[in-house]
Amino acid sequence: ESETLEKESSIEFEATGERNDGEKASGKLTLTANFSFSTSTASPSNPDRISVPIGSAFAKGNLNYLTIVSTDFSWDGSTTSCTVRTTNTCQIRKTVDVVAFEGGTRFNIDPTASGWQSSVEKVDAFNSSAFTGGTDKIVKIVTASDVEKAKNQANQIDDGKEELFAKVKETELKIEASYKKTLGETTSSPAIGEVAAEGKAKLLAKVTYKVNVLDKSAIEEYIRTLVSSRLGEDQKIYEIGSLFIERFQENNATSAKLKAIVKTGPEVTEKTVLDKSLGKKIGEVTTLIKSINGVSEVKVDTSFPWVRSIPEDINKVSVNITIDEN
């Protein structure tokens, strides 16, 4: 069987992530849709189309900007509808509003005619006017690695072990080698990706403590049955103690080694002593009782020094049997 204990642990930890929650820069981006003269079959009734969905990304270096509206381009195959015409390409341009992916002054950039990357095929971009409005506000946020580190700290805490062991009853033998601590559901406050005030966060973790136990009476009965089969008829078990489990293993099958100290000795009762003593001489009594396997000492005390034999009256004789602890 097992004893279990469930506790909730609280771990405070530092949030190490950073995010800029300042205002986002905004501006206008000129998009150029490129249609091919050589491969297109566009006509007024069946024009070629290119769509730029809302939220499409355009990047200048490591600065990302997102469109805040959807924009569609349509070409009927004529040269007059081109904003710019090259030998093989008809370029149609439109200006759209964009906003920076996140806050920060670094998104405030000057007009840039080249170096832009587009997430939309056949569409290029440049900004002919500056992007403005970005401000800086650096905040601490909880990261996944912060939470993982806090979980590792929670795994190091063992404050439920003593409390669990105290639950084990006097009638049970705990197998200390079976002790386990399992980290269950964890909750980070704030959650991953959220702002941590002053960089502080907390992890709440449910922890289950468990230890296997055995019924002492069942163990003792097992030992008594086992040892009794090896004793002679004139021997008996006096005491079973110091129960101990070692080499505990819990794989496909659970196994362990049981140790105990078993005190055995002669089957001596008051009746046995009286049967061998009443009416007999003291020397004879000593010899008869000492002949019992396991009796280490026989001492006869008489009421008077000159008494040489044991009375025949049972009421005049007392028997005291003591166990040698050595």
Side-chain angles (χ1 to χ4, degrees):
E1 298 179 349
S2 62
E3 286 284 358
T4 59
L5 173 69
E6 290 188 351
K7 294 192 71 172
E8 191 171 80
S9 293
S10 176
I11 305 293
E12 291 189 354
F13 64 95
E14 296 286 335
T16 62
E18 287 187 349
R19 187 176 67 208
N20 195 328
D21 277 2
E23 295 295 327
K24 296 180 180 181
S26 61
K28 293 184 179 296
L29 200 61
T30 300
L31 304 183
T32 302
N34 298 282
F35 297 94
S36 173
F37 280 110
S38 59
T39 60
S40 175
T41 58
S43 65
S45 61
N46 186 32
D48 285 348
R49 301 182 185 278
I50 297 176
S51 295
V52 180
I54 185 172
S56 296
F58 295 86
K60 175 62 177 165
N62 63 348
L63 302 176
N64 288 304
Y65 300 85
L66 306 177
T67 59
I68 59 176
V69 293
S70 295
T71 306
D72 293 320
F73 295 88
S74 178
W75 180 49
D76 60 7
S78 68
T79 58
T80 57
S81 59
C82 302
T83 307
V84 176
R85 177 186 174 184
T86 66
T87 303
N88 294 315
T89 305
C90 173
Q91 296 181 336
I92 299 177
R93 291 178 177 169
K94 289 185 179 182
T95 300
V96 298
D97 292 325
V98 297
V99 65
F101 176 73
E102 60 184 348
T105 56
R106 65 194 183 99
F107 289 90
N108 298 330
I109 61 174
D110 294 329
T112 308
S114 62
W116 283 88
Q117 294 174 303
S118 170
S119 65
V120 183
E121 188 178 1
K122 298 180 181 180
V123 177
D124 300 322
F126 67 90
N127 65 315
S128 56
S129 59
F131 289 175
T132 60
T135 61
D136 290 323
K137 181 183 177 183
I138 306 300
V139 295
K140 288 287 186 181
I141 61 172
V142 176
T143 67
S145 60
D146 294 334
V147 173
E148 196 61 33
K149 185 178 179 180
K151 286 182 181 179
N152 291 335
Q153 288 180 311
N155 266 325
Q156 302 303 314
I157 298 175
D158 217 4
D159 58 356
K161 184 175 183 179
E162 288 188 9
E163 189 175 341
L164 171 66
F165 283 6
K167 286 183 64 179
V168 177
K169 304 178 184 67
E170 287 293 327
T171 57
E172 295 174 332
L173 172 66
K174 65 177 177 287
I175 305 175
E176 293 198 34
S178 71
Y179 169 71
K180 282 184 181 178
K181 184 187 69 173
T182 304
L183 190 66
E185 180 183 349
T186 60
T187 305
S188 173
S189 179
I192 294 173
E194 293 185 353
V195 177
E198 299 181 358
K200 303 294 183 183
K202 183 181 291 186
L203 181 78
L204 295 178
K206 291 183 178 179
V207 185
T208 301
Y209 302 87
K210 177 183 175 182
V211 66
N212 290 342
V213 297
L214 294 168
D215 183 352
K216 283 183 179 179
S217 63
I219 297 175
E220 290 176 0
E221 182 61 30
Y222 167 73
I223 294 173
R224 190 175 300 279
T225 301
L226 183 68
V227 175
S228 294
S229 66
R230 302 173 182 174
L231 296 178
E233 292 184 358
D234 60 347
Q235 299 289 294
K236 73 172 185 178
I237 297 172
Y238 280 90
E239 183 181 328
I240 299 174
S242 300
L243 298 175
F244 184 74
I245 296 291
E246 66 176 24
R247 300 182 190 175
F248 176 82
Q249 293 182 337
E250 195 171 26
N251 299 314
N252 293 332
T254 303
S255 64
K257 185 173 184 178
L258 170 64
K259 284 188 172 183
I261 294 177
V262 182
K263 293 183 178 180
T264 64
E267 180 72 69
V268 178
T269 64
E270 183 174 335
K271 183 178 183 305
T272 304
V273 175
L274 291 173
D275 287 346
K276 293 179 180 293
S277 304
L278 295 179
K280 295 183 176 64
K281 294 182 182 291
I282 292 175
E284 186 182 2
V285 168
T286 302
T287 301
L288 287 171
I289 298 177
K290 260 199 168 183
S291 67
I292 300 174
N293 182 22
V295 173
S296 59
E297 183 182 0
V298 179
K299 185 178 180 182
V300 180
D301 291 325
T302 58
S303 301
F304 302 99
W306 57 82
V307 174
R308 293 289 181 264
S309 60
I310 306 300
E312 292 186 359
D313 185 353
I314 192 174
N315 295 316
K316 295 182 178 181
V317 180
S318 62
V319 178
N320 183 24
I321 300 172
T322 59
I323 306 301
D324 188 355
E325 296 292 336
N326 296 324

